[in-house]
Amino acid sequence: MDHILSIVLFTPLAGLVVLCFLPASKPRAIKLWANLAAFLGFLVSLPLAVHFDRTRDYQYVEQTEWIPSIGASYHLGIDGLSLLLVILTTLLGFVAILSSWNAINERLKEYYAFFLLQQVGMLGVFMSLDFLLFFVFWETVLVPMYFIIAIWGGPRRAYASIKFVIYTLIGSVLMLLGILMLYFQYHSQFQRYSFDIAELMKISLPSSVGWWVFWAFFVGFAVKVPMWPFHTWLPDAHVEAPTAGSVILASVLLKMGTYGFLRFSLPLLPDAAKNPTIINAMAILSIIGIIYGALASLMQKDWKKLVAYSSVSHLGFCTLGIFSLNPLGIQGSIIQQINHGISTGMLFLIVGIVYERRHTREISEYGGLMKVMPVFTIVFLIAALSSMGMPPLNGFIGEIAILQGAYQMSLNWAVWGAVGIALGAAYLLWLFQRTMWGEISEKNKLLKDLSWREIAVFAPLIVWAFWIGLAPGSYFRILERPTAQIVERVRPGYYAEHKLVNPLTAPPATAALR
């Protein structure tokens, strides 16, 4: 297990290298190998969960010199937060590639190569414990997603891909400036250079510097989430991207932003993160995103654009939970990030399936599909109930924890969050009613139900949705230590003040029993 993280990280890259040697004249071989490489990427990540010890901090740590002259190292490690996001990435990567079997038939090698490269970038983001290494992987993700949208996207793919790049690059430049400010502050205090995240946490920052670094990080992470008002690139990117691109964009890539807030903004800049002005600003932006995204979804006539705007609303819940700065809110946010990856991934796959059959995403073109696609209807219903937070599915657990955490900070936060949940149920039920019920038109009477391959695409996501909904305790236990690390950095003494057991100081036997 000494190099398990490197194996997980570079398995997709090994698959990409082999893919390059396959002849373009054999499309079936290319598809089979790409799917096999993605499946192997998921399989090699499973030992991370099997052998994970939730009573310890960073695990499977690997560190070696990379650029010693500037203090950069190849430093990998994961905690409970990283673990869930790594598993989400490997599973959704496999699901996205499998869903492309019939959808993509041109330039197959390039298409699958970009997906495998993107896997490497996203996994690297969630594993890196060196800030420069993190930034390299962060930027790596930008390249394949740009080409996936620009080459295999819809009619406005050029506009959507350029807009995606411009927004992301602006955020990345500001984030890099924030990283360099920390880097030089560390040197001025310790007379050596380091990009190591644990080392950077030792810095004592002047309040004015911490303030500006926080906002530099904020732009980089908020664009990726995306938070309102940095969200405008997202609907265009989703609508123009191929189905698999939308799935991986919504399910994994957006989580890089929320992960950045949790891994860097809060622990590295605790004084700024608990500043009342910043907390109120983040809460207001999150609530606006929740309500705006839900209302925009209610107004959509395009099936895919409706799901795209729903992501703005759902990620607003995640950022609201993060900046509640208490264990329940943060744990709920992390679980809701996983939930969003599962439910919205399913919703985009559902849109892709009907689009492959009818080549239109206009909601008005559908109706009565349950009469000819009963299995599809059941899967759609499960995905919709998961997304709107109905028990016993996964969405309920994340939303209720976030609302509890928000309530501890402000009753107004919880009330607006509840309004967002109600609006979410409205647009999803409206969509389901318009497309599945009613009279079926002549154009839809010959539509085929889900194939066995398509059922296989949905099966792991459905199982995971019920698993989280029925047995959430294991997920909360995995997240106890990383959550406590964040809370104690930002609000020292929180657990003692609220008479809670602190997972960081509890005896191992006691922690294992909880």
Side-chain angles (χ1 to χ4, degrees):
M1 302 294 288
D2 289 345
H3 301 286
I4 182 66
L5 288 185
S6 290
I7 293 171
V8 174
L9 176 61
F10 293 116
T11 294
L13 187 62
L16 189 161
V17 171
V18 174
L19 183 68
C20 292
F21 290 97
L22 296 179
S25 59
K26 295 186 177 180
R28 183 173 178 82
I30 292 172
K31 291 180 180 181
L32 286 171
W33 175 252
N35 279 273
L36 177 61
F39 183 60
L40 288 174
F42 171 61
L43 286 183
V44 297
S45 70
L46 293 180
L48 298 177
V50 173
H51 298 286
F52 187 80
D53 182 357
R54 60 184 177 79
T55 64
R56 295 170 49 208
D57 296 323
Y58 287 110
Q59 298 169 49
Y60 314 112
V61 175
E62 303 175 34
Q63 186 170 16
T64 187
E65 288 188 347
W66 176 31
I67 314 175
S69 60
I70 62 171
S73 64
Y74 175 78
H75 191 185
L76 305 180
I78 61 170
D79 59 2
L81 165 60
S82 308
L83 172 68
L84 294 180
L85 290 170
V86 166
I87 299 298
L88 180 73
T89 302
T90 57
L91 175 59
L92 266 297
F94 167 61
V95 166
I97 287 177
L98 182 59
S99 72
S100 304
W101 188 274
N102 291 329
I104 304 296
N105 295 298
E106 296 179 357
R107 304 180 71 172
L108 288 178
K109 285 178 67 173
E110 295 94 328
Y111 176 80
Y112 288 115
F114 284 131
F115 263 96
L116 292 172
L117 178 61
Q118 187 164 255
Q119 283 289 96
V120 177
M122 293 185 299
L123 289 170
V125 164
F126 300 135
M127 294 178 182
S128 297
L129 297 182
D130 179 277
F131 230 147
L132 185 62
L133 186 67
F134 165 84
F135 186 78
V136 169
F137 284 122
W138 178 279
E139 290 300 280
T140 298
V141 173
L142 174 65
V143 178
M145 182 53 72
Y146 165 77
F147 284 109
I148 287 169
I149 298 172
I151 297 175
W152 295 276
R156 298 175 70 246
R157 57 185 179 271
Y159 169 78
S161 58
I162 291 295
K163 190 174 182 180
F164 165 71
V165 168
I166 291 173
Y167 270 70
T168 307
L169 277 179
I170 291 173
S172 296
V173 168
L174 290 173
M175 183 175 70
L176 179 59
L177 291 176
I179 294 171
L180 292 176
M181 289 176 73
L182 291 178
Y183 178 72
F184 289 113
Q185 282 287 325
Y186 181 85
H187 178 263
S188 68
Q189 294 180 28
F190 297 96
Q191 286 71 54
R192 64 180 185 271
Y193 291 108
S194 178
F195 282 103
D196 190 275
I197 294 166
E199 288 294 314
L200 294 177
M201 285 191 184
K202 299 175 182 178
I203 302 173
S204 178
L205 282 178
S207 57
S208 59
V209 175
W211 176 274
W212 288 112
V213 173
F214 181 91
W215 288 114
F217 282 177
F218 165 77
V219 176
F221 300 144
V223 166
K224 194 74 78 175
V225 170
M227 293 182 71
W228 185 92
F230 304 96
H231 69 283
T232 58
W233 64 268
L234 182 67
D236 293 312
H238 270 316
V239 169
E240 300 306 321
T243 297
S246 294
V247 169
I248 211 70
L249 178 62
S251 297
V252 183
L253 194 142
L254 303 187
K255 310 309 178 298
M256 290 165 53
T258 49
Y259 176 80
F261 282 125
L262 289 164
R263 179 66 75 219
F264 305 113
S265 295
L266 270 59
L268 285 170
L269 306 163
D271 292 335
K274 65 185 176 186
N275 184 293
T277 302
I278 287 178
I279 291 175
N280 288 329
M282 298 301 292
I284 290 170
L285 293 179
S286 298
I287 290 169
I288 291 174
I290 291 170
I291 303 301
Y292 168 82
L295 292 175
S297 294
L298 277 169
M299 301 296 292
Q300 299 308 313
K301 298 179 181 179
D302 182 299
W303 195 330
K304 199 174 188 183
K305 189 170 279 191
L306 183 151
V307 179
Y309 274 107
S310 75
S311 288
V312 177
S313 183
H314 282 111
L315 270 298
F317 278 102
C318 295
T319 52
L320 185 66
I322 290 171
F323 285 91
S324 66
L325 302 183
N326 56 56
L328 263 178
I330 292 174
Q331 288 177 334
S333 171
I334 299 168
I335 291 174
Q336 192 62 10
Q337 291 170 46
I338 306 300
N339 294 340
H340 176 264
I342 295 168
S343 60
T344 305
M346 285 197 286
L347 289 172
F348 275 118
L349 289 169
I350 284 164
V351 176
I353 285 170
V354 294
Y355 183 77
E356 285 181 25
R357 287 156 168 75
R358 279 290 320 275
H359 300 291
T360 179
R361 293 189 299 264
E362 289 293 318
I363 297 172
S364 59
E365 288 289 317
Y366 297 96
L369 293 186
M370 65 182 302
K371 297 175 182 177
V372 292
M373 303 176 73
V375 177
F376 174 84
T377 303
I378 293 171
V379 171
F380 185 14
L381 180 61
I382 292 171
L385 294 176
S386 168
S387 184
M388 71 176 70
M390 291 291 289
L393 287 157
N394 55 334
F396 173 76
I397 300 301
E399 288 179 348
I400 199 68
I402 290 171
L403 288 183
Q404 286 180 286
Y407 177 77
Q408 291 180 27
M409 289 294 284
S410 167
L411 174 61
N412 288 332
W413 293 17
V415 169
W416 283 111
V419 171
I421 291 174
L423 290 173
Y427 64 71
L428 286 165
L429 290 174
W430 174 81
L431 175 64
F432 185 84
Q433 181 182 20
R434 290 281 303 276
T435 56
M436 300 297 109
W437 294 351
E439 295 298 320
I440 188 167
S441 67
E442 289 295 327
K443 296 177 182 178
N444 297 323
K445 284 185 176 179
L446 298 179
L447 294 183
K448 295 181 180 180
D449 207 349
L450 297 183
S451 65
W452 284 108
R453 179 188 60 81
E454 290 167 335
I455 292 173
V457 168
F458 286 105
L461 301 180
I462 292 173
V463 170
W464 204 358
F466 277 105
W467 181 11
I468 294 175
L470 294 171
S474 58
Y475 293 87
F476 281 98
R477 286 191 289 271
I478 286 173
L479 294 171
E480 278 183 339
R481 281 194 73 85
T483 299
Q485 295 276 11
I486 295 169
V487 172
E488 284 296 309
R489 280 285 295 180
V490 182
R491 302 173 69 179
Y494 177 91
Y495 285 87
E497 180 185 342
H498 292 80
K499 297 180 173 58
L500 299 173
V501 175
N502 189 336
L504 303 178
T505 58
T510 305
L513 289 173
R514 288 200 314 274

Short mmCIF file of all heavy atoms in Angstrom, two decimals, residues 307-326:
data_model
loop_
_atom_site.label_atom_id
_atom_site.label_comp_id
_atom_site.label_asym_id
_atom_site.label_seq_id
_atom_site.Cartn_x
_atom_site.Cartn_y
_atom_site.Cartn_z
N VAL A 307 -31.50 21.08 -15.81
CA VAL A 307 -30.61 20.34 -14.91
C VAL A 307 -29.36 21.16 -14.62
O VAL A 307 -28.83 21.13 -13.50
CB VAL A 307 -30.25 18.97 -15.52
CG1 VAL A 307 -29.31 18.20 -14.59
CG2 VAL A 307 -31.51 18.14 -15.79
N ALA A 308 -28.87 21.91 -15.61
CA ALA A 308 -27.68 22.74 -15.41
C ALA A 308 -27.91 23.79 -14.34
O ALA A 308 -27.08 23.99 -13.44
CB ALA A 308 -27.28 23.39 -16.73
N TYR A 309 -29.03 24.49 -14.42
CA TYR A 309 -29.31 25.52 -13.41
C TYR A 309 -29.57 24.90 -12.04
O TYR A 309 -29.33 25.54 -11.01
CB TYR A 309 -30.51 26.37 -13.83
CG TYR A 309 -30.13 27.52 -14.74
CD1 TYR A 309 -30.42 27.50 -16.09
CD2 TYR A 309 -29.46 28.63 -14.23
CE1 TYR A 309 -30.07 28.55 -16.93
CE2 TYR A 309 -29.11 29.69 -15.05
CZ TYR A 309 -29.41 29.64 -16.39
OH TYR A 309 -29.05 30.69 -17.20
N SER A 310 -30.05 23.67 -12.00
CA SER A 310 -30.26 23.01 -10.72
C SER A 310 -28.93 22.83 -9.98
O SER A 310 -28.89 22.83 -8.74
CB SER A 310 -30.95 21.65 -10.90
OG SER A 310 -30.05 20.67 -11.40
N SER A 311 -27.82 22.69 -10.73
CA SER A 311 -26.51 22.57 -10.10
C SER A 311 -26.13 23.85 -9.35
O SER A 311 -25.50 23.79 -8.29
CB SER A 311 -25.44 22.24 -11.15
OG SER A 311 -25.55 20.92 -11.60
N VAL A 312 -26.48 25.00 -9.92
CA VAL A 312 -26.20 26.26 -9.23
C VAL A 312 -26.91 26.29 -7.88
O VAL A 312 -26.33 26.70 -6.86
CB VAL A 312 -26.65 27.46 -10.10
CG1 VAL A 312 -26.42 28.78 -9.36
CG2 VAL A 312 -25.91 27.46 -11.44
N SER A 313 -28.15 25.81 -7.86
CA SER A 313 -28.92 25.77 -6.62
C SER A 313 -28.33 24.78 -5.63
O SER A 313 -28.14 25.09 -4.45
CB SER A 313 -30.38 25.42 -6.92
OG SER A 313 -31.16 25.44 -5.75
N HIS A 314 -28.03 23.58 -6.09
CA HIS A 314 -27.53 22.54 -5.19
C HIS A 314 -26.15 22.89 -4.62
O HIS A 314 -25.88 22.63 -3.44
CB HIS A 314 -27.47 21.20 -5.92
CG HIS A 314 -28.80 20.54 -6.06
ND1 HIS A 314 -29.43 20.40 -7.27
CD2 HIS A 314 -29.63 19.98 -5.14
CE1 HIS A 314 -30.59 19.80 -7.09
NE2 HIS A 314 -30.73 19.53 -5.81
N LEU A 315 -25.28 23.46 -5.43
CA LEU A 315 -23.96 23.83 -4.92
C LEU A 315 -24.05 25.01 -3.97
O LEU A 315 -23.17 25.20 -3.12
CB LEU A 315 -23.02 24.13 -6.08
CG LEU A 315 -22.20 22.94 -6.62
CD1 LEU A 315 -21.28 22.38 -5.56
CD2 LEU A 315 -23.08 21.82 -7.17
N GLY A 316 -25.12 25.82 -4.09
CA GLY A 316 -25.35 26.88 -3.10
C GLY A 316 -25.56 26.29 -1.71
O GLY A 316 -25.09 26.86 -0.71
N PHE A 317 -26.25 25.15 -1.62
CA PHE A 317 -26.41 24.47 -0.34
C PHE A 317 -25.04 24.06 0.21
O PHE A 317 -24.78 24.17 1.41
CB PHE A 317 -27.29 23.23 -0.49
CG PHE A 317 -28.76 23.52 -0.48
CD1 PHE A 317 -29.48 23.55 -1.65
CD2 PHE A 317 -29.42 23.76 0.71
CE1 PHE A 317 -30.84 23.82 -1.65
CE2 PHE A 317 -30.78 24.03 0.73
CZ PHE A 317 -31.49 24.05 -0.45
N CYS A 318 -24.19 23.56 -0.67
CA CYS A 318 -22.87 23.08 -0.23
C CYS A 318 -22.04 24.21 0.36
O CYS A 318 -21.42 24.05 1.42
CB CYS A 318 -22.13 22.43 -1.39
SG CYS A 318 -22.92 20.91 -1.99
N THR A 319 -22.02 25.37 -0.30
CA THR A 319 -21.23 26.49 0.23
C THR A 319 -21.88 27.07 1.50
O THR A 319 -21.18 27.52 2.40
CB THR A 319 -21.04 27.59 -0.82
OG1 THR A 319 -22.32 27.96 -1.38
CG2 THR A 319 -20.13 27.11 -1.93
N LEU A 320 -23.21 27.03 1.58
CA LEU A 320 -23.88 27.49 2.80
C LEU A 320 -23.47 26.61 3.98
O LEU A 320 -23.20 27.11 5.09
CB LEU A 320 -25.39 27.46 2.61
CG LEU A 320 -26.23 28.03 3.77
CD1 LEU A 320 -25.99 29.53 3.91
CD2 LEU A 320 -27.72 27.75 3.55
N GLY A 321 -23.41 25.30 3.75
CA GLY A 321 -22.99 24.39 4.82
C GLY A 321 -21.55 24.62 5.23
O GLY A 321 -21.22 24.59 6.42
N ILE A 322 -20.68 24.87 4.26
CA ILE A 322 -19.26 25.11 4.56
C ILE A 322 -19.10 26.31 5.47
O ILE A 322 -18.38 26.26 6.48
CB ILE A 322 -18.46 25.32 3.26
CG1 ILE A 322 -18.36 24.00 2.47
CG2 ILE A 322 -17.06 25.85 3.57
CD1 ILE A 322 -17.79 24.16 1.08
N PHE A 323 -19.78 27.40 5.16
CA PHE A 323 -19.57 28.64 5.91
C PHE A 323 -20.51 28.77 7.11
O PHE A 323 -20.57 29.84 7.73
CB PHE A 323 -19.64 29.84 4.98
CG PHE A 323 -18.41 29.97 4.15
CD1 PHE A 323 -18.33 29.36 2.90
CD2 PHE A 323 -17.30 30.62 4.64
CE1 PHE A 323 -17.17 29.42 2.14
CE2 PHE A 323 -16.14 30.70 3.89
CZ PHE A 323 -16.07 30.10 2.63
N SER A 324 -21.21 27.69 7.44
CA SER A 324 -21.84 27.64 8.75
C SER A 324 -20.79 27.41 9.84
O SER A 324 -21.04 27.66 11.02
CB SER A 324 -22.91 26.54 8.81
OG SER A 324 -22.31 25.26 8.69
N LEU A 325 -19.62 26.89 9.42
CA LEU A 325 -18.46 26.73 10.30
C LEU A 325 -18.76 25.90 11.54
O LEU A 325 -18.24 26.15 12.64
CB LEU A 325 -17.90 28.10 10.72
CG LEU A 325 -17.47 29.05 9.58
CD1 LEU A 325 -16.88 30.32 10.18
CD2 LEU A 325 -16.48 28.39 8.65
N ASN A 326 -19.60 24.89 11.40
CA ASN A 326 -19.84 23.95 12.48
C ASN A 326 -19.84 22.53 11.92
O ASN A 326 -19.98 22.33 10.70
CB ASN A 326 -21.15 24.27 13.23
CG ASN A 326 -22.35 24.32 12.31
OD1 ASN A 326 -22.65 23.37 11.60
ND2 ASN A 326 -23.06 25.46 12.30
#
